[in-house]
Amino acid sequence: MVTTRERARDARLQASIDEFLSHARYERGLSANTVQSYRRDLVMWQNYCAKRSIKGPPTHEELTDFLGRLRGGKEPASKPLAPSSVARMIVSLRSLYRYLAREGKIEVDPTSKLAAPRRPRSLPKAITLEDVARLVESPARDLLGRRDRAALETLYGSGIRISELVALDVDDIDLEEGSLLVRSGKGSKARRIPLGRKALAAVGDYLSVTRPELLKRSAAGAARGALFLNARGGRLTRQGCWKLLKGYAESAGLGPRVSPHTLRHSFATHMLDGGADIRVVQEMLGHASLATTQVYTLVSDSHLREVYLTSHPRARG
């Protein structure tokens, strides 16, 4: 018989997995097939944890036992898994627990010592300034178009995550000072970010024209001060924001190249290209470690090389 405590433990792991998969789909912009692969792997891991009453983050021994059972075809596997499948499982586990550690949900990533196949380092994909302009100027000047323009300008203008965008309240933005307060950053660390003229203008337009109309559609108290509202007057969700971004990316001719993280990557890359100090960019992005931000310098280095090759008189043959 399953006890109340066991049900609560299983529910916590399920909630963590659901949150991670939502992040992978709607913030990182991973394909539905990739997210489904993560889900299949993590369901198998969840079954293993339930059978062994694993509480909280697993130990290194529990992780290696689980992977050993998969290689040997023991429960929860029905047959020995191929090395490629085990490698994919390691990636799924590491992605889950790295996410939970970055979010401050767990203190230490238990998968940090797991050996995984070396993969080429993937650089963040940024779009050009021209592509950014096409994207943020795509929305029409109608009711929801004003909201969408404000959301896109804010994402690119501040570099915040989509989860941070939809968590913003009206009181978090200061139009006079030209800044927004992010209260829901990773590790629950708040930070104040300056916001540029175009983003402030778009948000001001949305606040004066669109939000009052959307608020009329809201059930009493449903929005609770949310900055960005959906068509029914409730708080805009990550999924809703992701869908509107994908729609405008298609209409701007950018297709699948754009995800919410693309705007974040572009913000960081363009800031560094423009001469911003990397520690300033680190603070604005909310990175706990400078090493996380330094990956953007690799992108900017390639830009610098391109400028050098086209500009220096002795760089060309």
Side-chain angles (χ1 to χ4, degrees):
M1 180 178 178
V2 180
T3 66
T4 302
R5 180 175 296 180
E6 289 171 333
R7 280 196 295 270
R9 179 199 64 224
D10 296 343
R12 282 194 297 271
L13 179 56
Q14 181 66 62
S16 295
I17 291 173
D18 289 344
E19 183 179 332
F20 162 69
L21 294 175
S22 178
H23 163 80
R25 185 71 175 114
Y26 301 119
E27 293 201 44
R28 291 179 59 194
L30 300 184
S31 71
N33 287 339
T34 299
V35 174
Q36 189 58 34
S37 294
Y38 277 146
R39 186 184 300 278
R40 284 194 298 269
D41 289 342
L42 295 174
V43 164
M44 189 176 290
W45 167 244
Q46 192 174 12
N47 292 337
Y48 174 86
C49 291
K51 287 285 182 66
R52 283 152 185 79
S53 300
I54 295 175
K55 301 175 183 177
T59 64
H60 180 71
E61 289 71 22
E62 288 167 337
L63 287 166
T64 53
D65 175 70
F66 170 66
L67 295 171
R69 298 181 73 85
L70 299 185
R71 293 185 183 98
K74 299 178 181 178
E75 186 273 332
S78 57
K79 61 180 181 180
L81 297 190
S84 59
S85 297
V86 176
R88 192 194 65 202
M89 177 65 76
I90 293 174
V91 171
S92 297
L93 291 171
R94 292 179 74 175
S95 298
L96 169 65
Y97 286 107
R98 280 179 176 177
Y99 168 76
L100 295 176
R102 286 197 307 267
E103 291 288 327
K105 303 296 177 65
I106 57 176
E107 292 184 5
V108 178
D109 173 11
T111 66
S112 60
K113 295 182 180 179
L114 283 182
R118 293 183 62 85
R119 294 183 297 171
R121 189 176 192 182
S122 59
L123 297 179
K125 294 179 176 61
I127 56 177
T128 66
L129 291 170
E130 292 76 15
D131 286 343
V132 169
R134 288 215 313 276
L135 177 66
V136 299
E137 293 167 8
S138 293
R141 295 284 294 173
D142 57 14
L143 195 69
L144 292 181
R146 292 173 188 268
R147 178 205 63 189
D148 299 345
R149 172 74 177 265
L152 294 173
E153 288 278 16
T154 301
L155 281 171
Y156 173 68
S158 64
I160 61 175
R161 306 171 180 93
I162 190 173
S163 56
E164 295 169 339
L165 178 89
V166 299
L168 288 173
D169 288 336
V170 173
D171 292 342
D172 294 331
I173 190 156
D174 189 328
L175 294 178
E176 291 187 6
E177 183 184 90
S179 68
L180 58 85
L181 179 63
V182 179
R183 304 176 188 272
S184 58
K186 292 184 177 180
S188 300
K189 182 181 179 182
R191 65 190 191 278
R192 185 167 288 281
I193 304 173
L195 207 55
R197 178 176 53 84
K198 290 187 177 181
L200 288 169
V203 173
D205 184 43
Y206 160 71
L207 285 174
S208 62
V209 178
T210 298
R211 191 176 183 279
E213 292 300 317
L214 295 181
L215 204 55
K216 294 175 183 177
R217 309 176 185 181
S218 174
R224 297 179 183 174
L227 175 58
F228 289 105
L229 304 179
N230 60 29
R232 297 180 302 280
R235 186 181 290 274
L236 186 66
T237 63
R238 284 196 294 189
Q239 183 174 1
C241 191
W242 179 84
K243 285 182 177 178
L244 71 86
L245 173 61
K246 297 299 284 186
Y248 288 120
E250 290 289 342
S251 64
L254 302 177
R257 292 189 292 133
V258 174
S259 73
H261 256 46
T262 305
L263 290 180
R264 183 168 162 85
H265 297 331
S266 301
F267 162 84
T269 302
H270 297 163
M271 285 282 290
L272 291 168
D273 284 347
D277 183 272
I278 189 172
R279 293 192 179 276
V280 172
V281 177
Q282 175 193 3
E283 181 67 23
M284 294 181 72
L285 291 175
H287 287 159
S289 169
L290 185 63
T292 308
T293 315
Q294 283 174 331
V295 67
Y296 296 104
T297 65
L298 301 177
V299 180
S300 292
D301 283 348
S302 61
H303 170 75
L304 291 175
R305 177 171 174 78
E306 179 182 342
V307 171
Y308 172 77
L309 290 175
T310 56
S311 306
H312 195 282
R314 298 188 68 81
R316 300 178 296 278

